[in-house]
Each structure stands twice: as C-alpha cells, then as structure tokens.
Amino acid sequence: MHVIRTSRRSWERGYVRAVAALDALSALFAAAIAAVIHPVPLAGGYPSGYVGASTALLAVWLAAMSASRAYEVRFLAIGAEEFQRVLSAALAVITIVATLAWVVDVDIHRGYVIVALLMATLLTLLLRYAARKIVHRRRRHGFCMSDVLLVGHGRSAAELVRQMRRDVHHGMRIVGVCAPEGTGSDDLTPLGIRVLGTFADVEAALSRTGADTVAVLACPEMDGVELRRLAWGLAREGVDLVVAPALMEVAGPRIAIRPVCGLPLLHVDEPHLTGGRRLAKDVIDRSLALVCLVALAPLFLGIALVIRLTSPGEAIFRQTRVGLDGRPFLMWKFRTMVRNAAELRPSLDGVNQHPSGHLFKLSADPRVTPVGRWLRRTSLDELPQLVNVLRGQMSLVGPRPLPASDTPYDGDARRRLYVKPGLTGLWQISGRSDLDWDESVRLDLRYVEQWSLTLDALILWKTLFAVVKGSGAY
C-alpha cells in the first residue's frame, strides 16, 4: 500500500476550521428556516428583534460549542464523544435562552426560538457526521493519519498493529516499534513492522520515522520514572504521548483519574447495567419494538406469505438461544432455509467457514432458499426478533445472541451474557458473518464494557447503513 505522508498538525487545524464553519452554517440555516416557518406580521415588516436574534444565534452557538470543548482534536472524527459534546452545548444554549426569555421580556415568539435551536442542533449533528465520513474515506487512502511509534513488547505491539489495521478510520498508522530486546520478533515480522531499537532509542526512532505520536504499551520496564522522563523529552519535540493501559476495551464514564500520593491512579467502575439506566433501556426497547411491530405488520404478512408459497414449511423459524445470565429462550426469525436444514447440517461440517468456536457459517450454504438469501441480504429475516424484544428476552442493541450448545460458555464468552443479546450490535456494523469467533467475542465484550444509551443510538444509526451495504450477510 502506498503511504501518504502529510502534516498531521496541518490537516487537524484545517479540519477544526472546517467543522467550525459547518457549525456556523448550521446556525445560520436554522435561523433562516425558523424565520420562514414562524409567521411574521406583515404590517410591521420584519421585526428588528428577529434580525438581532438570528445574528446572536451564530455567536452563541459557536461559543457554546467551544465551551463544551467540541473543537478539541481528540474528540473529532472518531467515537461518540464529539456528538455528546454537541448535544451538551445545545442543551446549555436552550437552557440559557429559556432562562433569559423568562427573565427579560423579549419580543420574539417562542416558536421561532424552539425551531431555530432544534434545527441548529440537528444540522450541526448531520454536517459533523458528513465531515467525519469524508475523513474516514480519506484515511482509507492514507490521508489524515497520525504516524505512531509504539513502545512495548512485541506481542502486545503486534496485537495493536492488527487492531489499527482493521479499524483504519481511527487515524493511527504504526510506523515502527521500540521493544526491550531491540530486535525483531516473531509477532511483528509477519506484519512488516520494524523494530527500531530499545526503549533508549525512542528519540532516534522518531527522527527516522517522522512519527508525531508515541504510544506506550503496558510493560514493566516503562515504569513511572521512565515514563515521566520520556514525556519530558517528547514535550520538547512537540510529539504527542499516549499510554495504553493494561485494561482493554474499557472507556467512557467508567474511567476516572484519581490522584493518590501524587500518582494518577486509574479508577474503573463496574458497568452500570442496573437501576435507572437499565430501566430506561428496557422501556425504550419495548416501546420501539411495539411501534415497529404495529407499523411493519403488513410487511410481516407479505414476507410470511412469500415464504409459504415458495418452499414447504412454516414461515417462522424458532431456535433456542442463550440470553441474559445464560438463561435459554426461543428466538424468532423468518425461515430462510429448507425445512430439513437441521438434518442436512452434519454433511456440511467439513466446509464450515468458522470451524472454531460455536458458530456455523457458510457463504454459499445450499440449504438457503432463494427467498431466504434475499431476506438475509436485507436482514429482513431478523425482524421477528422484535417479538423477543417486546417480551424482554432481547434488546434492540446488544451482543450477538449465542446458540444453545452442549459446550458451556466460559471465559470471555461468558461475559457476553452479562447483558441481553441484541437485534443488532457492534458485530452487525463491523462485518457480520465475515467475522471470526474471536473477533465476534471481542466486539461483544467491547459493547458490554462500554455500554451507554448514546452508544446504542449510534449503533442503531450505523445499522441502517450496514443493512443497505449488505456486506457479510449470508
């Protein structure tokens, strides 16, 4: 692959300016739309108060985004934090405007204010999302990347390299490694990553690679004193330092820095999957499932009729799956295979594309009917699981529902049963059936460790695009 060398600082500054311009454009369009929607008396012309309010919205909107740190580079183009900060800024503006409107008697109709603020929020989110997708597309071609020098042992470095190459949209490109042994390892050599020396050679390695970031992995040799000295040296050179904790797949509000005796200790809370947040998730799941079942009832009947007319057997396929805390339940799907698919399964074990773990997947499975292949391609076969969601056995978003197996789920896979399985999830938007067992478990564990209502909303949004794309659906 041809590597494009660009100045990270340069593109970051340009991207921040572009995002600020998009926010300003959102505020101006929102004010204009609100002025069109809100009826203005013709006798007095266009009230001067509306002109002032429209002008003020631009300044207030940009100031609120800046105050909520929505322009910090580390929050842009990746993760849900950017959108959370936009929503926080919007909520702050709405609160301030509502308070001022109550305290000061301003001759501006409430409808104008409500429409302007809601439209500004919606447009800001949409335009930022569009800008993010452009950056992700450019990163797939080698642009807008941060060149990273890893400091750590070969095995952990190789795992991070593989992960960064899978998720190139994160914008980090590994250009070399400094390892304790100072020589190549069996883990890094197949990946084409050079070991550029020991921990004492970081400065020289930076000169050779031009890296703008040093990532330190968990290792005993890089203790607090050595890490502090490294940070001093990197600060003089203007190079970013990031430290990867030994605890993986944990992020967000569960992590807090707690200073103890001058040491920044990482405090990690358990996932909050009980109480009010779980109740809110359950209410949202069941409410949306009920609405979807009512709205899609004609589609359900049509699909069931086509299945019955094109192949013998029932339209609904039921299979025992493992749910919350390992409790079995009967999962519903539209039938996509021939009626005797279970009897034909043993003859296909030799061509299973996922021989490890508990999955059986075959991209050209002869048991799948023509209608069933279309249903899988469009994910319409999953819709009856809305009944499972309504009954509280599944969630709209969660880990992949595991099949019942004589082999007990233990270790990492057991952790997936800490929450309800989902109709969609990180596996759905990250490759679906193209994922191997280990990658599927990793994504499900990431969801369990990082669960939030914001993450659920983001996954539901991305699921729409994954379904349209159809990759990994077979």
Side-chain angles (χ1 to χ4, degrees), residues 106-412:
V106 181
D107 187 23
I108 298 178
H109 196 277
R110 293 177 182 176
Y112 170 85
V113 176
I114 293 174
V115 172
L117 293 178
L118 291 180
M119 287 301 302
T121 303
L122 179 61
L123 289 174
T124 299
L125 290 173
L126 289 177
L127 290 180
R128 279 182 175 243
Y129 180 79
R132 170 178 295 198
K133 300 310 291 185
I134 292 174
V135 171
H136 291 179
R137 189 178 302 113
R138 289 179 60 81
R139 282 174 173 171
R140 287 195 292 269
H141 293 89
F143 295 96
C144 303
M145 300 293 284
S146 173
D147 290 333
V148 180
L149 175 68
L150 292 184
V151 176
H153 288 272
R155 181 178 179 183
S156 56
E159 177 58 32
L160 186 59
V161 169
R162 284 189 287 266
Q163 187 168 337
M164 289 300 178
R165 288 180 176 178
R166 284 194 301 262
D167 302 326
V168 68
H169 64 276
H170 285 280
M172 289 190 171
R173 176 172 51 217
I174 311 301
V175 295
V177 175
C178 286
E181 58 275 10
T183 58
S185 69
D186 295 338
D187 298 296
L188 290 170
T189 301
L191 298 174
I193 299 295
R194 297 175 299 165
V195 175
L196 303 175
T198 66
F199 290 172
D201 301 316
V202 172
E203 186 175 344
L206 286 172
S207 299
R208 293 176 59 185
T209 61
D212 49 55
T213 302
V214 171
V216 178
L217 306 178
C219 55
E221 294 86 355
M222 188 59 68
D223 58 14
V225 174
E226 291 298 325
L227 189 59
R228 181 175 57 186
R229 291 172 179 167
L230 176 62
W232 290 343
L234 297 180
R236 289 194 300 268
E237 300 295 329
V239 177
D240 288 345
L241 172 65
V242 295
V243 180
L247 188 63
M248 304 298 290
E249 306 292 3
V250 179
R254 289 183 54 202
I255 292 181
I257 302 296
R258 175 176 294 178
V260 177
C261 300
L263 297 176
L265 299 184
L266 204 63
H267 179 81
V268 182
D269 288 329
E270 276 295 300
H272 296 295
L273 302 173
T274 59
R277 298 178 69 193
R278 168 167 277 183
L279 178 62
K281 179 177 174 65
D282 191 58
V283 170
I284 293 172
D285 283 340
R286 298 194 185 204
S287 299
L288 290 179
L290 179 59
V291 171
C292 291
L293 284 171
V294 173
L296 299 176
L299 178 62
F300 275 61
L301 292 175
I303 293 176
L305 182 61
V306 171
I307 293 174
R308 292 297 300 271
L309 292 176
T310 55
S311 65
E314 296 183 351
I316 298 296
F317 171 73
R318 300 170 182 83
Q319 187 180 50
T320 301
R321 295 292 178 100
V322 180
L324 180 65
D325 296 328
R327 294 191 295 267
F329 70 97
L330 209 59
M331 189 184 76
W332 291 22
K333 296 179 67 174
F334 281 121
R335 181 173 59 84
T336 59
M337 292 185 174
V338 295
R339 184 168 50 184
N340 61 334
E343 288 78 9
L344 298 175
R345 160 69 187 276
S347 63
L348 300 173
D349 283 340
V351 291
N352 182 13
Q353 294 178 212
H354 293 280
S356 61
H358 299 263
L359 300 178
F360 178 88
K361 287 293 180 180
L362 189 59
S363 57
D365 197 322
R367 301 173 298 166
V368 179
T369 65
V371 171
R373 191 166 291 108
W374 175 75
L375 290 175
R376 291 187 174 199
R377 167 63 177 78
T378 57
S379 295
L380 292 176
D381 62 314
E382 311 281 356
L383 288 180
Q385 293 171 33
L386 290 169
V387 175
N388 296 114
V389 176
L390 186 62
R391 298 177 65 181
Q393 299 165 327
M394 292 181 62
S395 177
L396 289 177
V397 181
R400 182 195 297 264
L402 297 175
S405 173
D406 295 333
T407 304
Y409 293 101
D410 52 15
D412 291 348

